[in-house]
Amino acid sequence: MRRIFVAAAVIVAAAGLAACGSPQATTTSSSTTLAPGSGGGILGASCTNAAIQKYLVHKGQLSVATDNPVYVPWFYANRPENGLGYEAATAYAIAKLLGFSKGQVHWVYEPFDKSYAPGPKNFDFDINEISVTSQRSQAVTFSVGYFNDNQALVVLMKGPVVKNHSPAALKTYTYGDQIGTTSLAYINQYIQPTNQTKVFSTLNDVKEALVTNQIQAFVTDTPTAQYIGSSQTGTLALGQFPSDGEHFGLLLQKGNQLVTCLNKAISHLQANGDLASYQKRFLQSYLTIPTIKP
């Protein structure tokens, strides 16, 4: 996981939309037909709109958190409310299954590294490419996974890593990554570089360190890596690493029983093909990448 900086975000987002089939700027529709406010009973009596009100931060609305800014292909034009992007579409599909109309979904800003800190939350769930880990699960509650993620390596096109990225060579380079991320953990656990990995506050800072030659490579999730490589001059998503079982989950305040209904909603979207459809629509062009070994 994650986070990038894009100077011309709106322009690149438009290009990304074209690459993904030019979706219109409306909420992505789910194949499930429900009456707004009803919940439809499709998830069971305990997950109707009326039944879940006791679990919500604010009754009558679904408070969904994410970072600011947010980026392609998870969101588009830094506007979660437009419903475009894999995570935006997923959030609205879940809301619909829980009986909320689009207007009843309220977006809340939550910085990534604050989201999994212990304590009360001002949102019902956070959707922000947050990888589920045992350490984070001690402080917060996670849903089942809504996206299985691979880590990928971002380098400079003219840097030495492009020519030599064998497992032995990868250990010799200088890396950097965002504090608290599974990407940082992946570098130290799997690549095990001989040079100390540099730690930065945000992935924006990491990317800046790469383009200014402070580091030679960094790791992030595959779709984000591909997007950086396609939008940032001089950078390249060199390849993705084999799966280590990492997946993104919705994050809730520790013990929030709403997670049971969120799990049912995600399972429904998996079973009816909606998640696969969103992946094909928004992520497909960002998932074609060679595999390399750490």
Side-chain angles (χ1 to χ4, degrees), residues 60-212:
Q61 73 177 38
L62 187 65
S63 301
V64 183
T66 196
D67 213 338
N68 184 20
V70 287
Y71 301 100
V72 176
W74 310 104
F75 300 89
Y76 278 82
N78 196 31
R79 294 180 59 224
E81 68 275 10
N82 67 20
L84 295 174
Y86 183 82
E87 291 190 320
T90 298
Y92 277 110
I94 290 171
K96 187 174 182 180
L97 287 169
L98 296 177
F100 293 98
S101 67
K102 182 180 179 182
Q104 291 175 306
V105 176
H106 177 64
W107 289 94
V108 178
Y109 166 54
E110 181 75 1
F112 173 73
D113 58 353
K114 181 183 175 184
S115 64
Y116 49 83
K121 307 298 181 186
N122 66 339
F123 53 80
D124 298 314
F125 68 83
D126 191 326
I127 184 166
N128 190 22
E129 306 111 80
I130 306 172
S131 298
V132 178
T133 69
S134 57
Q135 182 178 4
R136 291 172 180 172
S137 296
Q138 295 176 17
V140 296
T141 291
F142 281 105
S143 72
V144 297
Y146 62 87
F147 180 74
N148 295 325
D149 181 47
N150 283 38
Q151 300 285 353
L153 189 67
V154 181
V155 301
L156 292 174
M157 284 184 176
K158 296 183 179 180
V161 190
V162 174
K163 295 181 179 179
N164 192 355
H165 47 269
S166 67
L170 288 178
K171 294 181 183 298
T172 67
Y173 300 120
T174 300
Y175 297 84
D177 231 305
Q178 183 181 2
I179 188 171
T181 60
T182 53
S183 300
L184 176 61
Y186 190 95
I187 292 172
N188 294 326
Q189 181 178 353
Y190 292 100
I191 299 176
Q192 298 180 347
T194 55
N195 298 324
Q196 185 174 355
T197 303
K198 298 182 179 181
V199 181
F200 299 88
S201 296
T202 69
L203 199 53
N204 292 353
D205 298 332
V206 179
K207 189 177 71 69
E208 181 66 19
L210 178 67
V211 299
T212 56

